Amino acid sequence: MGIDLNEIRKHVELYFKEHLPKYTVLEIRQKSYHPADNYLWMVSAKKEDGTYAVWTAWNESSQSLNFGHYNLKSIEDCEKVFEEFYFKG
């Protein structure tokens, strides 16, 4: 079964609309490229106050969001968090 990033984005945006309405989703990327992790994603977003955040665990199976990193100052800071928490194994 293929991964449909558009479907995942739809689920993430619905979650944000309900639970985090002050944030706008910017990027969604896989947590790892290991086939067994195909349900795990990371999400970056921008808050209305101009700060950024990254959540390193969007679980598409349960459609839940965890492990937020808040008050980031830039998209570059988001990228650093993505790189730090990407599973390379």
Side-chain angles (χ1 to χ4, degrees):
M1 180 165 120
I3 296 168
D4 184 349
L5 186 54
N6 290 326
E7 192 70 18
I8 293 167
R9 178 171 280 281
K10 184 175 90 174
H11 296 156
V12 170
E13 288 179 348
L14 285 171
Y15 181 95
F16 271 69
K17 184 176 181 180
E18 181 177 346
H19 299 285
L20 297 162
K22 294 184 180 187
Y23 286 90
T24 300
V25 175
L26 297 175
E27 185 177 359
I28 301 168
R29 59 168 79 168
Q30 287 184 276
K31 174 94 174 164
S32 97
Y33 282 104
H34 189 282
D37 294 337
N38 69 346
Y39 64 98
L40 294 175
W41 298 79
M42 297 186 286
V43 179
S44 65
K46 187 172 184 179
K47 193 174 181 183
E48 290 175 347
D49 67 4
T51 62
Y52 296 83
V54 171
W55 292 264
T56 56
W58 168 260
N59 184 320
E60 180 62 12
S61 296
S62 63
Q63 296 192 3
S64 59
L65 189 67
N66 291 291
F67 305 112
H69 302 260
Y70 301 94
N71 297 314
L72 303 174
K73 302 297 181 203
S74 67
I75 291 175
E76 292 79 17
D77 290 342
C78 295
E79 183 65 33
K80 289 175 186 173
V81 174
F82 278 151
E83 288 176 12
E84 181 180 350
F85 287 89
Y86 178 76
F87 179 70
K88 296 171 182 72

